[in-house]
Structures are given as C-alpha cells and as structure tokens.
C-alpha cells in the first residue's frame, strides 16, 4: 500500500526504524515525519509490527508536544498533518539520546543489580551515542568535544530541558493513572536554539499502571506480554484529552 506522503509526491530523505522523513515542499526547512507500524527491539534483533502504532504514536506525540509547549518547552512540532504525518522544523540533530529515569527498569536495573521498579532517590540522566551499528553506547559529557558530537553548552541545555520535561510528564501521567518510569528524548538546533525533537510515545517511554504496575508501553512487545495494541490505545486515549 502506498504511503500517504508518497501519494502526495513528497521526497523521502531518511527512513529509520519507526519513522520516515520527507521534505515538505521544495524548501528544506520543514520535514514531514511519517509514523510507521514497524516495531524493533534489542537494537533491531527483534522485528515486528504493531497494528495502528503509527497513528497512535503520531497522535500521542502531537498531543504531548502541545502540552509541553503550553508549559514553555519549545519543540520541532508545527502541526499534525494527517493520521500518520507530523509537520516539524528541520533541525540539526545531536547524535545523542537523552534518557531520564525515575524508577529502575531495563538496563539500569541490570547494571546496578537491583530489581525493576525501585523508586530512585532523584532522577538519573544518561547520554547515549545514537548509532545502530554500535548499539547506542553510553557516553558522558567529555565525549562531546572529543568526538565532535555537539557543543557541550548546547547539550548541557538539552539535558536541563530533558529534566524539566520530567516534572510536566510525570505529573500529567500521574493524574491519568500511570507511572512515568523512564523516557528517551532527542534534541536538535534551529537558528542557535536548542529544541526538543523526534517523538514522545510508548516506544520511547516506560509507563506502568499506578495500581497494578502493568506495563503500558513497548516492553509488552519486547517481552512478548500480549496486549500491545491495547497499551498504545490506552496512552492514546489519555493524551487525546489534552
Ligand atoms: N526535527 C527533526 N529534524 C531532523 N531530524 C529529526 C527531527 N526529529 C527527529 N529526527 C531524526 O529522524 C529520525 C526519525 O526516525 P526513526 O525511525 O526514529 O529513526 P531511527 O531508527 O534513526 O531512530 C531519527 O534519526 C531522528 O534523530
Ligand atoms: Mg528513533
């Protein structure tokens, strides 16, 4: 089936694991992000599809970018163009993933030898070098200048924004019955300003039911827990009220 962006004659500039980027019109200042149903895990070793994920993630991201904007957080988001397409500003991305954690889960639980779900005394912030070939290795601030990954002061600002976002998202999900366990953000630069980019979805966040601690995110796919589509739908329903 032809993708809506292709029907509209958009020029593809990049295809990633979850999204495709297209040019919007002739000018390169804006991009159309097309959300796919494709799902990968464990650095691409596990592949599958999650029905309607593209539609859910586009809507969830759009709503969360709007919520963040209302709280003073600037992002690449311009508007939701269609069910699976989002119009964004074309940024110069930092090849860095910013991970913020409130509870132990996944690699942090393993690394520190504690069970999952332990509340951290204060948030943990981690930087990873975005590289599929290398499996996104963890880095720290001294790598930035050493490997020309971005201006340290800009990355420091992105890190600060990533932590400010924590309070907003934690509070929002808490009011809607979910614990924000951890999340991954990406940032880029536009006209010298650091802006939040990419997506904020159950692919990039861990969310647990506050009462049952049931997982409501991509871990259901990673760990073959079933009820994957239902989990995305639940987050979609919550964020569609924004
Ligand atoms: N506003 C933006 N401008 C330029 N690139 C972006 C923007 N937002 C996200 N990206 C990049 O677009 C890609 C999105 O597609 P995705 O499927 O998530 O790719 P990947 O498999 O590389 O994570 C990512 O590489 C991300 O860094
Ligand atoms: Mg990605």
């Amino acid at each position: 089936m032809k993708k809506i962006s292709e029907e509209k004659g958009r020029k593809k500039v990049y295809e990633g694991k979850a999204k495709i980027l297209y040019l919007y019109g002739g000018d390169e200042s804006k991009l159309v992000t097309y959300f796919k149903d494709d799902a990968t895990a464990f650095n691409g070793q596990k592949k599958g599809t999650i029905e309607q994920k593209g539609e859910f993630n586009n809507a969830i991201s759009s709503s969360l970018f709007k919520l963040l904007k209302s709280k003073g957080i600037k992002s690449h988001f311009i508007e939701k163009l269609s069910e699976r397409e989002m119009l964004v500003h074309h940024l110069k991305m930092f090849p860095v993933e910013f991970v913020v954690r409130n509870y132990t889960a996944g690699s942090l639980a393993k690394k520190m030898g504690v069970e999952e779900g332990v509340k951290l005394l204060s948030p943990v912030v981690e930087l990873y070098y975005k590289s599929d070939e290398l499996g996104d290795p963890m880095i720290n601030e001294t790598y930035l200048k050493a490997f020309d990954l971005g201006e340290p002061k800009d990355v420091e600002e992105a890190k600060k924004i990533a932590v400010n976002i924590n309070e907003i998202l934690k509070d929002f999900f808490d009011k809607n019955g979910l614990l924000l366990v951890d999340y991954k953000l990406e940032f880029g630069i536009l006209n010298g300003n650091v802006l939040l980019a990419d997506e904020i979805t159950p692919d990039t966040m861990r969310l647990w039911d506050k009462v049952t601690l049931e997982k409501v995110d991509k871990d259901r796919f990673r760990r073959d827990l079933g009820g994957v589509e239902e989990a995305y739908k639940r987050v979609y329903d919550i964020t569609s009220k924004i």
Side-chain angles (χ1 to χ4, degrees), residues 153-196:
K153 70 162 179 27
D154 292 334
V155 175
E156 195 50 43
E157 188 180 339
K159 216 171 123 180
K160 245 181 236 157
I161 302 170
V163 178
N164 290 343
I165 288 172
N166 198 28
E167 296 311 311
I168 302 165
L169 292 186
K170 227 169 41 177
D171 183 57
F172 170 76
F173 285 114
D174 182 70
K175 286 188 178 125
N176 287 285
L178 297 176
L179 273 185
L180 179 62
V181 172
D182 57 35
Y183 56 93
K184 183 271 294 179
L185 301 175
E186 294 183 29
F187 292 83
I189 291 263
L190 179 67
N191 303 326
N193 296 311
V194 175
L195 298 186
L196 171 66

Side-chain angles (χ1 to χ4, degrees), residues 13-31:
V13 288
Y14 176 83
E15 177 153 6
K17 299 184 291 293
K19 305 186 285 303
I20 307 174
L21 303 180
Y22 296 92
L23 290 184
Y24 184 69
D27 131 37
E28 303 216 343
S29 67
K30 297 189 186 94
L31 293 174

Side-chain angles (χ1 to χ4, degrees), residues 14-21 31 33 36 76 88-94 97 130 132 184 186 197-199:
Y14 176 83
E15 177 153 6
K17 299 184 291 293
K19 305 186 285 303
I20 307 174
L21 303 180
L31 293 174
T33 303
K36 302 190 281 185
H76 68 162
V88 302
H89 293 291
H90 188 175
L91 310 187
K92 184 171 187 307
M93 299 295 289
F94 300 121
E97 297 192 339
K130 199 170 154 58
D132 284 337
K184 183 271 294 179
E186 294 183 29
D198 206 49
E199 63 177 290

Side-chain angles (χ1 to χ4, degrees), residues 23-225:
L23 290 184
Y24 184 69
D27 131 37
E28 303 216 343
S29 67
K30 297 189 186 94
L31 293 174
V32 174
T33 303
Y34 176 94
F35 287 77
K36 302 190 281 185
D37 286 349
D38 299 358
T40 59
F42 312 116
N43 194 30
Q45 286 171 37
K46 180 177 171 130
K47 286 196 175 78
T49 54
I50 298 171
E51 213 177 308
Q52 268 189 292
K53 177 168 85 83
E55 289 166 39
F56 290 143
N57 279 358
N58 186 29
I60 294 165
S61 272
S62 298
S63 298
L64 291 177
F65 284 134
K66 277 184 209 158
L67 170 72
L68 291 171
K69 187 179 179 192
S70 76
K71 310 277 184 188
I73 306 279
K74 290 185 227 140
S75 78
H76 68 162
F77 178 74
I78 302 173
E79 63 174 314
K80 183 168 175 268
L81 286 180
S82 70
E83 297 261 292
R84 286 174 183 268
E85 295 174 309
M86 182 192 288
L87 184 64
V88 302
H89 293 291
H90 188 175
L91 310 187
K92 184 171 187 307
M93 299 295 289
F94 300 121
V96 175
E97 297 192 339
F98 298 74
V99 173
V100 180
R101 301 169 176 273
N102 296 309
Y103 290 81
T104 58
S107 66
L108 180 65
K110 210 170 154 193
K111 177 161 76 181
M112 295 304 289
V114 291
E115 56 189 293
E116 294 200 299
V118 176
K119 190 173 198 284
L120 298 164
L121 299 177
S122 66
V124 160
V125 185
E126 299 167 340
L127 304 184
Y128 293 90
Y129 175 45
K130 199 170 154 58
S131 162
D132 284 337
E133 303 85 77
L134 301 174
D136 298 338
M138 194 178 193
I139 58 168
N140 66 35
E141 284 77 359
T142 66
Y143 287 57
L144 301 170
K145 220 180 180 120
F147 292 97
D148 197 23
L149 303 181
E151 269 301 317
K153 70 162 179 27
D154 292 334
V155 175
E156 195 50 43
E157 188 180 339
K159 216 171 123 180
K160 245 181 236 157
I161 302 170
V163 178
N164 290 343
I165 288 172
N166 198 28
E167 296 311 311
I168 302 165
L169 292 186
K170 227 169 41 177
D171 183 57
F172 170 76
F173 285 114
D174 182 70
K175 286 188 178 125
N176 287 285
L178 297 176
L179 273 185
L180 179 62
V181 172
D182 57 35
Y183 56 93
K184 183 271 294 179
L185 301 175
E186 294 183 29
F187 292 83
I189 291 263
L190 179 67
N191 303 326
N193 296 311
V194 175
L195 298 186
L196 171 66
D198 206 49
E199 63 177 290
I200 311 176
T201 65
D203 280 10
T204 62
M205 289 183 281
R206 282 198 175 92
L207 294 165
W208 294 357
D209 184 286
K210 261 166 72 176
V211 177
T212 63
L213 299 183
E214 196 181 47
K215 299 184 197 313
V216 192
D217 56 54
K218 201 169 93 175
D219 272 346
R220 303 205 70 82
F221 166 78
R222 290 189 191 98
R223 305 179 191 193
D224 295 320
L225 298 174

